[in-house]
Amino acid sequence: MRRTGVTCFLAVLALCCTVSPSTTVTPQRGTAGSPPLEVRLGYPRGTRLLILHFDDLGVTRSANAAVAAARDSGLIVSGSVIVPGRYLQELAAYARAHPDFDLGIHLALTAEFPGYRWGPVSPKQEVPTLLGPDGQFRHEWNDTSTIRWQDVERELRTQITAARAAGIQPTHVDVHEFVLFTRGPILLEVLRRVARDEDLLLLGAREWISGRRAMRKLPGGEIELARVVSISPDVPPADWNRFYTEQIRTLPPGVSELILHPVTDSIEAKSLTGDRVNWGAGWRARDWAFVARPAFRRLLRQEKIHLITWRQLDSALAAVPAVR
């Protein structure tokens, strides 16, 4: 949905300043005279809203099954798809059959799993600095990796085009392993420009909780969420449910996001992740067990937390008056 006023503002801003890694465009609580997001979404001021977000869709059938099962159970769920994933078309068919499904694109420029190595959607000769020795994406980006911004921009745009060609109508974009959030202002601005040009919301937050670490800001696009929560390796399996429960209970007013990686079948997930512990099969099974249990729904009711989607945020931004 075209957000005319916000897009015009961003274009003017791009001409007037240099973007740094900590730059954000539209604050979560609104500019002077602008109501906070929860009010623009139709809720009383101070209401706590949560986007329940399933990452890494399209990579395994069990990830696709998890989001379908969660939605069938009545949960309001958002998700994002890895376009080079082997089960993109399966997820795209589900999205076409369920046009209310809030689906974004999990822009992937790395391929860390031993069981399935994916590569660029663009012709490989057009994005050479994104490739590892096997001709697929690198396992990771390190301090010695040379990445051309032109290759990044080409691949981001190609993935979005491919998702739309499959019949997906994306509402937002985020980034696999956050690689474009941590490589300095140039690649972050490339990401912002692509999201802006493609009229897609981009994840950003005033506070990013990664396991037991709290960072002050996750730089992103035109919406800045109150908090983004993701678990990390410093949380032992025995504390999994406790961590998520504490994070939900302490969410601030406004819109936050909880990032999960659920799968319904840990055996299939293990074929992808191998013996990897971090973000491995057991990790993903624990994420599914947390949201699938009745206690999760009771927790949301007790805390008076409402689940919403990126699609609703897009509609709220569409109501911003045009800049004169």
Side-chain angles (χ1 to χ4, degrees):
M1 185 178 294
R2 177 59 57 186
R3 295 172 290 278
T4 307
V6 175
T7 303
C8 291
F9 172 73
L10 285 167
V12 172
L13 182 67
L15 291 173
C16 295
C17 67
T18 299
V19 178
S20 71
S22 62
T23 300
T24 52
V25 178
T26 301
Q28 150 77 17
R29 305 302 294 171
T31 54
S34 172
L37 273 179
E38 68 269 24
V39 173
R40 289 159 65 183
L41 287 162
Y43 292 89
R45 185 182 293 268
T47 301
R48 295 187 295 168
L49 308 175
L50 180 65
I51 300 171
L52 182 63
H53 200 274
F54 287 20
D55 274 14
D56 290 0
L57 302 180
V59 175
T60 62
R61 284 202 167 111
S62 56
N64 294 351
V67 76
R71 295 183 75 249
D72 289 345
S73 75
L75 285 175
I76 298 171
V77 182
S78 295
S80 56
V81 60
I82 290 183
V83 175
R86 57 164 58 120
Y87 297 114
L88 165 71
Q89 294 301 330
E90 178 184 89
L91 188 71
Y94 178 84
R96 293 193 301 269
H98 301 83
D100 61 327
F101 176 31
D102 183 49
L103 184 60
I105 300 174
H106 198 48
L107 296 164
L109 298 171
T110 53
E112 72 276 25
F113 298 118
Y116 176 50
R117 300 276 298 130
W118 57 74
V121 180
S122 307
K124 292 182 178 182
Q125 67 273 17
E126 295 182 4
V127 290
T129 65
L130 302 183
L131 305 180
D134 63 352
Q136 307 294 357
F137 283 142
R138 301 168 188 257
H139 284 275
E140 62 180 354
W141 289 5
N142 55 44
D143 292 341
T144 63
S145 301
T146 299
I147 308 293
R148 296 177 68 246
W149 68 262
Q150 296 91 338
D151 293 2
V152 169
E153 181 165 0
R154 182 174 290 109
E155 179 61 16
L156 298 185
R157 294 186 187 277
T158 303
Q159 288 187 20
I160 294 169
T161 298
R164 286 175 166 151
I168 293 171
Q169 298 179 11
T171 58
H172 63 286
V173 290
D174 48 39
V175 180
H176 186 55
E177 300 194 306
F178 295 102
V179 292
L180 296 180
F181 292 100
T182 58
R183 295 285 296 192
I186 294 176
L187 292 185
L188 181 59
E189 180 57 19
V190 166
L191 173 62
R192 285 173 167 154
R193 180 169 66 240
V194 170
R196 187 163 63 240
D197 291 349
E198 298 291 343
D199 198 31
L200 294 171
L201 297 179
L202 170 63
L203 174 66
R206 281 207 314 274
E207 185 180 29
W208 177 20
I209 304 294
S210 178
R212 303 194 188 282
R213 295 178 300 149
M215 280 70 79
R216 292 191 61 185
K217 188 164 289 190
L218 176 65
E222 61 199 59
I223 275 192
E224 187 181 75
L225 304 185
R227 179 180 294 172
V228 169
V229 176
S230 62
I231 205 162
S232 75
D234 64 3
V235 178
D239 291 343
W240 218 258
N241 289 347
R242 183 181 301 113
F243 170 81
Y244 282 138
T245 298
E246 290 174 356
Q247 290 302 320
I248 289 172
R249 283 178 174 159
T250 59
L251 288 176
V255 180
S256 298
E257 178 170 281
L258 176 62
I259 298 175
L260 301 168
H261 299 81
V263 297
T264 58
D265 183 352
S266 61
I267 295 176
E268 187 211 14
K270 190 172 180 61
S271 71
L272 170 76
T273 63
D275 293 329
R276 181 183 174 121
V277 174
N278 299 338
W279 290 274
W283 181 300
R284 293 162 191 267
R286 289 191 295 274
D287 272 4
W288 174 242
F290 177 74
V291 296
R293 62 185 188 142
F296 174 65
R297 292 165 175 77
R298 287 198 301 271
L299 176 63
L300 295 177
R301 289 195 300 270
Q302 291 167 359
E303 295 296 324
K304 297 182 174 58
I305 292 171
H306 303 270
L307 296 180
I308 65 161
T309 66
W310 281 98
R311 191 183 305 279
Q312 290 170 268
L313 289 179
D314 187 60
S315 298
L317 270 191
V320 175
V323 175
R324 300 297 182 186

